[in-house]
PDB file of all heavy atoms in Angstrom:
ATOM      1  N   ASN A 134      -8.617  27.200   5.134  1.00 97.00           N
ATOM      2  CA  ASN A 134      -9.071  27.714   3.844  1.00 97.00           C
ATOM      3  C   ASN A 134     -10.393  27.044   3.520  1.00 97.00           C
ATOM      4  O   ASN A 134     -10.787  26.068   4.163  1.00 97.00           O
ATOM      5  CB  ASN A 134      -8.025  27.401   2.761  1.00 97.00           C
ATOM      6  CG  ASN A 134      -8.232  28.223   1.488  1.00 97.00           C
ATOM      7  OD1 ASN A 134      -9.137  29.068   1.409  1.00 97.00           O
ATOM      8  ND2 ASN A 134      -7.404  27.980   0.501  1.00 97.00           N
ATOM      9  N   TRP A 135     -11.108  27.574   2.565  1.00 98.00           N
ATOM     10  CA  TRP A 135     -12.261  26.873   2.021  1.00 98.00           C
ATOM     11  C   TRP A 135     -12.169  26.931   0.510  1.00 98.00           C
ATOM     12  O   TRP A 135     -11.500  27.818  -0.046  1.00 98.00           O
ATOM     13  CB  TRP A 135     -13.584  27.460   2.531  1.00 98.00           C
ATOM     14  CG  TRP A 135     -13.837  28.899   2.133  1.00 98.00           C
ATOM     15  CD1 TRP A 135     -13.518  30.013   2.840  1.00 98.00           C
ATOM     16  CD2 TRP A 135     -14.487  29.353   0.927  1.00 98.00           C
ATOM     17  NE1 TRP A 135     -13.901  31.138   2.166  1.00 98.00           N
ATOM     18  CE2 TRP A 135     -14.520  30.765   0.994  1.00 98.00           C
ATOM     19  CE3 TRP A 135     -15.043  28.712  -0.177  1.00 98.00           C
ATOM     20  CZ2 TRP A 135     -15.077  31.546  -0.019  1.00 98.00           C
ATOM     21  CZ3 TRP A 135     -15.604  29.495  -1.174  1.00 98.00           C
ATOM     22  CH2 TRP A 135     -15.621  30.887  -1.100  1.00 98.00           C
ATOM     23  N   GLY A 136     -12.829  25.994  -0.149  1.00 98.00           N
ATOM     24  CA  GLY A 136     -12.772  26.011  -1.600  1.00 98.00           C
ATOM     25  C   GLY A 136     -13.572  24.884  -2.211  1.00 98.00           C
ATOM     26  O   GLY A 136     -14.072  23.987  -1.519  1.00 98.00           O
ATOM     27  N   PHE A 137     -13.678  24.989  -3.525  1.00 98.00           N
ATOM     28  CA  PHE A 137     -14.384  23.972  -4.310  1.00 98.00           C
ATOM     29  C   PHE A 137     -13.527  23.573  -5.505  1.00 98.00           C
ATOM     30  O   PHE A 137     -12.767  24.386  -6.029  1.00 98.00           O
ATOM     31  CB  PHE A 137     -15.726  24.526  -4.814  1.00 98.00           C
ATOM     32  CG  PHE A 137     -16.755  24.668  -3.725  1.00 98.00           C
ATOM     33  CD1 PHE A 137     -16.822  25.842  -2.971  1.00 98.00           C
ATOM     34  CD2 PHE A 137     -17.639  23.638  -3.440  1.00 98.00           C
ATOM     35  CE1 PHE A 137     -17.755  25.979  -1.963  1.00 98.00           C
ATOM     36  CE2 PHE A 137     -18.575  23.769  -2.425  1.00 98.00           C
ATOM     37  CZ  PHE A 137     -18.635  24.945  -1.683  1.00 98.00           C
ATOM     38  N   CYS A 138     -13.685  22.321  -5.925  1.00 98.00           N
ATOM     39  CA  CYS A 138     -12.974  21.791  -7.088  1.00 98.00           C
ATOM     40  C   CYS A 138     -14.023  21.388  -8.111  1.00 98.00           C
ATOM     41  O   CYS A 138     -15.059  20.817  -7.751  1.00 98.00           O
ATOM     42  CB  CYS A 138     -12.151  20.580  -6.695  1.00 98.00           C
ATOM     43  SG  CYS A 138     -11.020  20.906  -5.327  1.00 98.00           S
ATOM     44  N   LEU A 139     -13.768  21.687  -9.355  1.00 98.00           N
ATOM     45  CA  LEU A 139     -14.789  21.394 -10.369  1.00 98.00           C
ATOM     46  C   LEU A 139     -14.153  21.284 -11.747  1.00 98.00           C
ATOM     47  O   LEU A 139     -13.014  21.731 -11.946  1.00 98.00           O
ATOM     48  CB  LEU A 139     -15.876  22.472 -10.361  1.00 98.00           C
ATOM     49  CG  LEU A 139     -15.557  23.855 -10.943  1.00 98.00           C
ATOM     50  CD1 LEU A 139     -16.849  24.650 -11.089  1.00 98.00           C
ATOM     51  CD2 LEU A 139     -14.558  24.616 -10.091  1.00 98.00           C
ATOM     52  N   PRO A 140     -14.880  20.678 -12.691  1.00 98.00           N
ATOM     53  CA  PRO A 140     -14.366  20.639 -14.060  1.00 98.00           C
ATOM     54  C   PRO A 140     -14.215  22.058 -14.612  1.00 98.00           C
ATOM     55  O   PRO A 140     -15.061  22.914 -14.366  1.00 98.00           O
ATOM     56  CB  PRO A 140     -15.443  19.858 -14.824  1.00 98.00           C
ATOM     57  CG  PRO A 140     -16.178  19.093 -13.781  1.00 98.00           C
ATOM     58  CD  PRO A 140     -16.142  19.952 -12.559  1.00 98.00           C
ATOM     59  N   HIS A 141     -13.142  22.270 -15.353  1.00 98.00           N
ATOM     60  CA  HIS A 141     -12.872  23.613 -15.866  1.00 98.00           C
ATOM     61  C   HIS A 141     -14.010  24.115 -16.762  1.00 98.00           C
ATOM     62  O   HIS A 141     -14.365  25.287 -16.743  1.00 98.00           O
ATOM     63  CB  HIS A 141     -11.547  23.623 -16.623  1.00 98.00           C
ATOM     64  CG  HIS A 141     -11.041  25.003 -16.895  1.00 98.00           C
ATOM     65  ND1 HIS A 141     -10.633  25.846 -15.889  1.00 98.00           N
ATOM     66  CD2 HIS A 141     -10.920  25.703 -18.057  1.00 98.00           C
ATOM     67  CE1 HIS A 141     -10.261  27.016 -16.421  1.00 98.00           C
ATOM     68  NE2 HIS A 141     -10.427  26.954 -17.732  1.00 98.00           N
ATOM     69  N   GLU A 142     -14.591  23.187 -17.534  1.00 98.00           N
ATOM     70  CA  GLU A 142     -15.681  23.609 -18.427  1.00 98.00           C
ATOM     71  C   GLU A 142     -16.893  24.100 -17.620  1.00 98.00           C
ATOM     72  O   GLU A 142     -17.624  24.984 -18.066  1.00 98.00           O
ATOM     73  CB  GLU A 142     -16.074  22.479 -19.392  1.00 98.00           C
ATOM     74  CG  GLU A 142     -16.531  21.212 -18.699  1.00 98.00           C
ATOM     75  CD  GLU A 142     -16.693  20.037 -19.663  1.00 98.00           C
ATOM     76  OE1 GLU A 142     -16.168  20.096 -20.791  1.00 98.00           O
ATOM     77  OE2 GLU A 142     -17.353  19.059 -19.259  1.00 98.00           O
ATOM     78  N   GLN A 143     -17.058  23.558 -16.424  1.00 98.00           N
ATOM     79  CA  GLN A 143     -18.158  24.000 -15.550  1.00 98.00           C
ATOM     80  C   GLN A 143     -17.822  25.365 -14.935  1.00 98.00           C
ATOM     81  O   GLN A 143     -18.698  26.220 -14.788  1.00 98.00           O
ATOM     82  CB  GLN A 143     -18.334  22.956 -14.452  1.00 98.00           C
ATOM     83  CG  GLN A 143     -19.681  22.919 -13.796  1.00 98.00           C
ATOM     84  CD  GLN A 143     -19.729  21.787 -12.752  1.00 98.00           C
ATOM     85  OE1 GLN A 143     -19.139  20.711 -12.935  1.00 98.00           O
ATOM     86  NE2 GLN A 143     -20.417  22.035 -11.657  1.00 98.00           N
ATOM     87  N   LEU A 144     -16.561  25.563 -14.621  1.00 98.00           N
ATOM     88  CA  LEU A 144     -16.110  26.852 -14.065  1.00 98.00           C
ATOM     89  C   LEU A 144     -16.372  27.983 -15.060  1.00 98.00           C
ATOM     90  O   LEU A 144     -16.812  29.075 -14.680  1.00 98.00           O
ATOM     91  CB  LEU A 144     -14.624  26.758 -13.711  1.00 98.00           C
ATOM     92  CG  LEU A 144     -13.941  27.982 -13.095  1.00 98.00           C
ATOM     93  CD1 LEU A 144     -12.855  27.529 -12.120  1.00 98.00           C
ATOM     94  CD2 LEU A 144     -13.322  28.905 -14.132  1.00 98.00           C
ATOM     95  N   LEU A 145     -16.112  27.695 -16.322  1.00 98.00           N
ATOM     96  CA  LEU A 145     -16.276  28.744 -17.346  1.00 98.00           C
ATOM     97  C   LEU A 145     -17.740  29.175 -17.501  1.00 98.00           C
ATOM     98  O   LEU A 145     -18.019  30.253 -18.021  1.00 98.00           O
ATOM     99  CB  LEU A 145     -15.736  28.248 -18.700  1.00 98.00           C
ATOM    100  CG  LEU A 145     -14.228  27.970 -18.740  1.00 98.00           C
ATOM    101  CD1 LEU A 145     -13.815  27.383 -20.087  1.00 98.00           C
ATOM    102  CD2 LEU A 145     -13.422  29.239 -18.452  1.00 98.00           C
ATOM    103  N   GLU A 146     -18.649  28.323 -17.025  1.00 97.00           N
ATOM    104  CA  GLU A 146     -20.071  28.670 -17.152  1.00 97.00           C
ATOM    105  C   GLU A 146     -20.584  29.524 -15.995  1.00 97.00           C
ATOM    106  O   GLU A 146     -21.733  29.952 -16.008  1.00 97.00           O
ATOM    107  CB  GLU A 146     -20.910  27.379 -17.227  1.00 97.00           C
ATOM    108  CG  GLU A 146     -20.845  26.742 -18.604  1.00 97.00           C
ATOM    109  CD  GLU A 146     -21.381  25.312 -18.615  1.00 97.00           C
ATOM    110  OE1 GLU A 146     -22.121  24.951 -17.662  1.00 97.00           O
ATOM    111  OE2 GLU A 146     -21.040  24.575 -19.552  1.00 97.00           O
ATOM    112  N   LEU A 147     -19.720  29.762 -15.002  1.00 98.00           N
ATOM    113  CA  LEU A 147     -20.153  30.556 -13.834  1.00 98.00           C
ATOM    114  C   LEU A 147     -20.039  32.039 -14.192  1.00 98.00           C
ATOM    115  O   LEU A 147     -19.002  32.655 -13.993  1.00 98.00           O
ATOM    116  CB  LEU A 147     -19.298  30.220 -12.611  1.00 98.00           C
ATOM    117  CG  LEU A 147     -19.364  28.764 -12.143  1.00 98.00           C
ATOM    118  CD1 LEU A 147     -18.388  28.519 -11.007  1.00 98.00           C
ATOM    119  CD2 LEU A 147     -20.784  28.391 -11.711  1.00 98.00           C
ATOM    120  N   ARG A 148     -21.140  32.616 -14.712  1.00 97.00           N
ATOM    121  CA  ARG A 148     -21.062  33.993 -15.214  1.00 97.00           C
ATOM    122  C   ARG A 148     -21.915  34.963 -14.402  1.00 97.00           C
ATOM    123  O   ARG A 148     -21.949  36.153 -14.715  1.00 97.00           O
ATOM    124  CB  ARG A 148     -21.514  34.031 -16.691  1.00 97.00           C
ATOM    125  CG  ARG A 148     -20.606  33.205 -17.598  1.00 97.00           C
ATOM    126  CD  ARG A 148     -20.771  33.583 -19.056  1.00 97.00           C
ATOM    127  NE  ARG A 148     -20.153  32.560 -19.916  1.00 97.00           N
ATOM    128  CZ  ARG A 148     -20.812  31.520 -20.433  1.00 97.00           C
ATOM    129  NH1 ARG A 148     -22.097  31.367 -20.198  1.00 97.00           N
ATOM    130  NH2 ARG A 148     -20.181  30.646 -21.194  1.00 97.00           N
ATOM    131  N   ASP A 149     -22.611  34.460 -13.360  1.00 98.00           N
ATOM    132  CA  ASP A 149     -23.431  35.380 -12.547  1.00 98.00           C
ATOM    133  C   ASP A 149     -22.533  36.287 -11.714  1.00 98.00           C
ATOM    134  O   ASP A 149     -21.354  35.989 -11.493  1.00 98.00           O
ATOM    135  CB  ASP A 149     -24.356  34.585 -11.615  1.00 98.00           C
ATOM    136  CG  ASP A 149     -25.419  33.811 -12.392  1.00 98.00           C
ATOM    137  OD1 ASP A 149     -25.430  33.920 -13.648  1.00 98.00           O
ATOM    138  OD2 ASP A 149     -26.205  33.083 -11.750  1.00 98.00           O
ATOM    139  N   ASP A 150     -23.107  37.391 -11.213  1.00 98.00           N
ATOM    140  CA  ASP A 150     -22.312  38.345 -10.438  1.00 98.00           C
ATOM    141  C   ASP A 150     -22.037  37.853  -9.018  1.00 98.00           C
ATOM    142  O   ASP A 150     -21.012  38.173  -8.430  1.00 98.00           O
ATOM    143  CB  ASP A 150     -23.027  39.705 -10.355  1.00 98.00           C
ATOM    144  CG  ASP A 150     -23.059  40.376 -11.722  1.00 98.00           C
ATOM    145  OD1 ASP A 150     -22.152  40.089 -12.545  1.00 98.00           O
ATOM    146  OD2 ASP A 150     -23.999  41.150 -11.982  1.00 98.00           O
TER     147      ASP A 150
END
Side-chain angles (χ1 to χ4, degrees):
N134 196 2
W135 63 268
F137 288 88
C138 305
L139 74 168
H141 194 67
E142 59 190 17
Q143 203 178 324
L144 181 147
L145 295 176
E146 282 166 19
L147 299 175
R148 297 198 194 93
D149 293 359
D150 292 333

